[in-house]
Amino acid sequence: MLEFYLALLDNDSDKGRLSYIYEKYYKLMLSVANEYSQNKSDAEDIVHESLMKIIDNLDKIDIGNEVSTKCYICTITKNLAKDNTKHNRF
């Protein structure tokens, strides 16, 4: 699945940054999404949406600052999960 996201990027630097984020935080993102979703499929969709948003904002992420990066990624995932939960209620 990582290959799909990497294909969306043009330069090797961004690809390296995204690979690092994916490898380090994917399980955490899935865990956060699972807290709000009804099933595994919904959680995976939330993580996909989160990764797409991360790609759009990759220049704002300082992977050298692990605390900031982790908070940023968890916030994106949690907010998308909450939005997904609200939409699925109605």
Side-chain angles (χ1 to χ4, degrees):
M1 192 66 181
L2 176 58
E3 293 81 21
F4 168 79
Y5 300 111
L6 293 177
L8 300 173
L9 298 169
D10 294 327
N11 66 59
D12 290 338
S13 175
D14 286 346
K15 289 179 182 187
R17 292 170 73 201
L18 184 64
S19 291
Y20 174 80
I21 290 168
Y22 186 92
E23 296 296 330
K24 183 155 180 89
Y25 297 106
Y26 182 84
K27 288 181 182 177
L28 175 63
M29 294 169 71
L30 198 54
S31 176
V32 170
N34 274 318
E35 290 178 25
Y36 295 91
S37 66
Q38 300 298 318
N39 58 56
K40 183 180 177 182
S41 179
D42 287 346
E44 289 172 349
D45 288 346
I46 291 164
V47 172
H48 169 73
E49 289 179 46
S50 299
L51 285 164
M52 296 302 290
K53 194 166 273 236
I54 288 167
I55 289 170
D56 289 342
N57 295 290
L58 200 54
D59 59 325
K60 298 177 185 175
I61 301 173
D62 176 14
I63 60 172
N65 184 341
E66 189 170 330
V67 172
S68 175
T69 299
K70 185 176 179 179
C71 287
Y72 186 79
I73 289 169
C74 285
T75 299
I76 287 173
T77 306
K78 183 171 75 172
N79 288 341
L80 286 171
K82 285 180 176 180
D83 288 347
N84 186 326
T85 303
K86 286 178 191 175
H87 291 321
N88 286 338
R89 282 188 201 165
F90 301 107

